[in-house]
Amino acid sequence: MSTIFDLNIQVLPEHIDLLGHVNNVLYVQWMQDVATAHIEQLGLGLARYLQLKHAMVAVEHHVQYRKAAFEGEDIILRTWLDDLNTLYSFRQYVFYRPKDQSILFVGQTKWACIEIESGRPKRMSPSFTQAYQPIATDINPMDFSISYAVAEAL
């Protein structure tokens, strides 16, 4: 069973754009970063992908920017899997600022399984389908009173 995964970060000067807040492109990078950290925790990082000769690649993102983040702020990057079939997994993201209990960003990525050598779609192996499981229906991923952090900072 997959779980919710939190990555705690601090907004650094290099994250800030000319308007004085976190650049929008960075949120997509953070989606990638927290997803990568989560799959490493699940035992399916890049090294395992190379061994298995197939990998998950992003094919579609949906994002919604809700509030700006600023230099020095602590942010929780939260992700979880909410659906899965033989070719695709669907990952959710919520970025949260504890200081004022604000949701800054929500997003979703559709990931496809491919053969690394050919780039063609491939059914997920049992290694993938066992690790990439949706969270239990009784878990509320929007409850930030519970921390799922296992790693600090990027």
Side-chain angles (χ1 to χ4, degrees), residues 47-128:
R48 187 73 175 123
Y49 280 177
L50 295 173
Q51 287 175 339
L52 293 169
K53 299 183 177 165
H54 58 287
M56 301 300 290
V57 296
V59 295
E60 188 175 314
H61 291 299
H62 294 272
V63 300
Q64 181 183 46
Y65 302 97
R66 293 192 176 178
K67 291 187 176 186
F70 302 94
E71 184 178 341
E73 293 182 330
D74 294 318
I75 309 288
I76 299 170
L77 310 180
R78 176 167 286 181
T79 190
W80 66 96
L81 295 160
D82 76 339
D83 195 9
L84 177 83
N85 61 46
T86 58
L87 291 176
Y88 300 106
S89 68
F90 298 86
R91 179 177 289 280
Q92 302 291 325
Y93 308 85
V94 175
F95 299 169
Y96 179 80
R97 183 174 48 220
K99 172 176 75 175
D100 62 354
Q101 300 179 349
S102 289
I103 292 175
L104 307 176
F105 172 90
V106 294
Q108 177 185 352
T109 301
K110 179 180 180 180
W111 295 87
C113 188
I114 61 156
E115 290 180 345
I116 293 173
E117 188 173 318
S118 69
R120 292 186 180 145
K122 178 186 178 4
R123 289 185 182 270
M124 283 187 229
S125 68
S127 297
F128 281 39

Side-chain angles (χ1 to χ4, degrees), residues 5-12 14-15 22 26-38 75-77 95 151-154:
F5 181 85
D6 287 350
L7 186 64
N8 297 324
I9 66 162
Q10 186 174 66
V11 177
L12 301 175
E14 58 264 34
H15 299 150
V22 171
L26 224 17
Y27 288 90
V28 176
Q29 178 65 55
W30 288 347
M31 290 168 71
Q32 177 76 29
D33 293 344
V34 71
T36 299
H38 189 204
I75 309 288
I76 299 170
L77 310 180
F95 299 169
E152 291 293 323
L154 297 176

